[in-house]
Amino acid sequence: MRLLLDENVSRPLHKAIIAFVLEHEIVHLLDLDRWSGTRDEHLYPRAAADGFHVILTNDARQMQRPREVEAIADSGLHRIEYPHRHPGLVGIGLAIATVAAGLPAALAVLAKADGQRLVTLRGIDPTPASRLRVVDPAAAPPKYWPDLA
């Protein structure tokens, strides 16, 4: 499949995707001559005409705009959306984790689909309690921890 990354997909995420999704053609919109700045209602038909099968975006508002929804539907392209709500390193880390965890399964489902599909990748919980476990070995030493007293 040919996968087009919308221009709102960051370059670090693009690099991560091409590192782990090897059996599909991955193209970033910013690498296509004169595609940058293409309005979404024109992007989907243009991408379909250029032979793309899937667009990956983090623009959740597309599905709230009637003209864009119509363009998506008319294009027949699969659309994969991922959440990107946090800035900086945390944001890009969550985006990479979300896409790395969900994109291979989404592409496998789309490869077998008998028609257009809209996929939303579920985000990774960014709260520290869900992302890490911190142990103070002085207060709660793990098994076989040496007695350093």
Side-chain angles (χ1 to χ4, degrees), residues 83-84 86 89-99 123-126 131:
H84 191 92
H86 302 278
L89 184 58
V90 169
I92 191 61
L94 292 169
I96 290 171
T98 298
V99 173
I124 306 295
D125 186 347
R131 303 298 330 137

Side-chain angles (χ1 to χ4, degrees), residues 45-131:
R46 186 176 185 182
D50 205 50
F52 286 97
H53 304 102
V54 181
I55 292 185
L56 177 71
T57 185
N58 66 46
D59 186 354
R61 293 176 299 187
Q62 282 179 341
M63 299 306 293
Q64 299 169 7
R65 299 180 192 124
R67 288 193 327 224
E68 292 176 25
V69 171
E70 184 178 350
I72 293 165
D74 289 346
S75 74
L77 292 175
H78 301 299
R79 179 183 180 276
I80 301 175
E81 173 188 328
Y82 66 94
H84 191 92
R85 297 180 196 97
H86 302 278
L89 184 58
V90 169
I92 191 61
L94 292 169
I96 290 171
T98 298
V99 173
L103 186 60
L107 292 174
V109 167
L110 297 179
K112 296 176 185 175
D114 60 356
Q116 184 179 34
R117 298 292 187 268
L118 307 173
V119 178
T120 300
L121 303 179
R122 296 193 176 165
I124 306 295
D125 186 347
T127 58
S130 70
R131 303 298 330 137

Side-chain angles (χ1 to χ4, degrees), residues 133 135-146:
R133 178 176 167 252
V135 174
D136 176 354
K143 189 174 184 178
Y144 306 118
W145 191 260

Side-chain angles (χ1 to χ4, degrees), residues 26-58:
I26 311 296
V27 179
H28 200 292
L29 183 142
L30 296 175
D31 293 330
L32 297 172
D33 191 36
R34 291 184 236 156
W35 281 58
S36 182
T38 302
R39 295 178 54 93
D40 288 335
E41 62 261 23
H42 303 295
L43 174 63
Y44 281 83
R46 186 176 185 182
D50 205 50
F52 286 97
H53 304 102
V54 181
I55 292 185
L56 177 71
T57 185
N58 66 46

